[in-house]
Amino acid sequence: MENFNFWDSEVWGSFNLVAILLTSLLLANSLKKLIPILKRSLIPSSVLGGLILLIISIIYETKTGNNLFNTSFFGNNGAATLEILTYHCLALGFIATSFKPASHKLGKQRTREIFDTGVSTVSTYLLQGVLGLGISILVACISGKLFPAAGVLLPFGYGQGTGQALNYGNIYENDFGFIGGRSFGLTIAALGFLSAAIGGVIHLNLLRRRHPEYNWNREERTANLKLDDIQTSDEIPMNGSIDKLTMQLILVFLAYLMAYGIMAILGKYVASLRSILFGFNFLIGVLMTELIVLINNFLMKKKIVKRQHINGFLMTRLSGFFFDIMIVAGVAAIRIKVLEDYWVLIIILGLVGAVSTYFYCQFISRTLFPSYSEEQFLATYGMLTGTASTGIILLRELDPDFETPASENLVLQNFPAMVFGFPIMLLAMMAPVKPVLTLIIIFAFFAVMNIILFRKQILAFIRKKKK
């Protein structure tokens, strides 16, 4: 594209696509406020916006036979751009979240609760993996056609969300021949959000009948932010020689650029690991974020850098923006046509994922978090069927001012969840080659995680038996 005109579709296509994604978010948010049933549904605006675009694209393809997002208005390659946006926004959202500084010192009890939340997150991934992989192996044996490792996408779609579902769906499609793998993963993720909304509404209605003492005022509340919530006295000014928001973007994209450098170098010398490395873009990005934070803190301590450049408030806003784009683009990118042979399995996986996650999270919350079990359940169930923001949406219905530790658990559990969850990502690469062996290992891992999770109850039971 050496010679181009500013009116060419290639110049405007990507801009038009992003503008339509943002417009769909605005439309979805307006519909949620105007239509009572949507307001009560708790479905995130990003999911609703993606569904609106998906429905429009299905109608367009039915009428014309062409993909709406591959028209000249979107630069003739908009469908691929949607998947690229989903892939990158996952990492950018995690990086922005990781830049946010910790706000509280933790005592022994709170540290244990955060650790248990992280372990329960991984344990739920494993439960979803055991059930999902077991179902897909069974269906593959019966039909002889299905990709046997397809069910592994259940924990990535439900437990980890749109970006990771796309990541592994893409690896399965490109490296292992799972036709429609990307759309399969994205559809599972979309069903996860619907499970969070539907299951959350049902549970909240049951709670309303059982516990009228809770504050059931459903009106949105505006947080009373103090100046210290927005910036601290030692930070760079909002509008100095470089805008403060620009500085946050610089840091986020610098961390991601460093992550790309690591992945590119390792991928060049170990080509067999390239798919895995670039599937872990978000994790490597988080590690680069921690490196930048360490360097920044060192320079601050040595007085080489006088003012703090990282702002937690703006980083939170950026992570929300990236995750909104990730979800709306991911849902819109689903290709219904390539899923024609998979709908029965998708529906089974969706229902099993919703029901098993609901009851398992409820059991964990009541057993390990008795003083705020309902709040913990809503937060973790929402997160483990959608994203952390979905968990927060459900939690706000019961705990609008975040008076319980449930919201903090959701944020701080990421580190133990990543440590224990890392092997699942490696096992997912083994599943297409040895699905039955992978199922056995995941089940054993699930048993170990439950021993760690319920260690206190198990020890109490053993002591009681000895007496």
Side-chain angles (χ1 to χ4, degrees), residues 1 10-11 13 29-30 33 55 70 84 98 128 144 150 152 198 222 262 313 318 322 349 375 387 398 427 440 455 460:
M1 196 175 155
E10 289 82 0
V11 175
N29 193 55
S30 300
K33 293 181 182 299
I55 292 168
N70 286 338
I84 291 168
S98 300
Q128 293 168 342
V152 173
I198 295 169
T222 303
I262 297 292
F313 176 80
L318 282 177
F322 288 129
L349 287 176
E375 291 85 353
T387 62
L398 194 61
L427 287 169
I440 294 169
R455 60 199 179 279

Side-chain angles (χ1 to χ4, degrees), residues 384-450:
L384 290 165
T385 48
T387 62
S389 60
T390 318
I392 292 296
I393 288 170
L394 291 178
L395 177 61
R396 285 185 75 250
E397 296 295 311
L398 194 61
D399 183 15
D401 297 321
F402 302 134
E403 294 172 354
T404 66
S407 60
E408 194 176 53
N409 290 351
L410 219 58
V411 175
L412 298 179
Q413 61 86 34
N414 280 305
F415 180 72
M418 281 186 178
V419 171
F420 286 109
F422 185 74
I424 302 173
M425 300 177 187
L426 298 178
L427 287 169
M429 299 303 297
M430 190 174 82
V433 183
K434 297 181 178 178
V436 176
L437 177 60
T438 304
L439 177 62
I440 294 169
I441 295 172
I442 292 175
F443 182 79
F445 193 13
F446 174 66
V448 171
M449 285 293 100
N450 276 277

Side-chain angles (χ1 to χ4, degrees), residues 150 153-154 156-158 161-170 172-173 178 180-192 330 334 339 342 346:
L153 294 174
L154 179 61
F156 292 112
Y158 271 51
T162 311
Q164 278 297 80
L166 173 66
N167 271 354
Y168 280 89
N170 182 61
Y172 286 178
E173 187 165 337
F178 180 19
R182 291 192 295 270
S183 285
F184 190 98
L186 292 171
T187 304
I188 292 293
L191 287 178
I334 295 171
L339 299 173
Y342 305 139
I346 287 172

Side-chain angles (χ1 to χ4, degrees), residues 114-149:
I114 289 161
F115 175 80
D116 286 345
T117 303
V119 175
S120 67
T121 296
V122 176
S123 188
T124 309
Y125 293 164
L126 293 165
L127 174 64
Q128 293 168 342
V130 167
L131 294 172
L133 183 56
I135 290 168
S136 63
I137 290 173
L138 180 63
V139 174
C141 289
I142 294 171
S143 69
K145 296 179 182 179
L146 183 75
F147 184 70

Side-chain angles (χ1 to χ4, degrees), residues 21 25 35 72 97 110 112 115 148 174 224 276 285 330 380 427:
L21 292 176
L25 278 168
I35 302 175
S72 60
T97 300
R110 290 291 301 119
R112 184 165 57 248
F115 175 80
N174 291 338
N224 295 317
I276 298 175
T380 52
L427 287 169

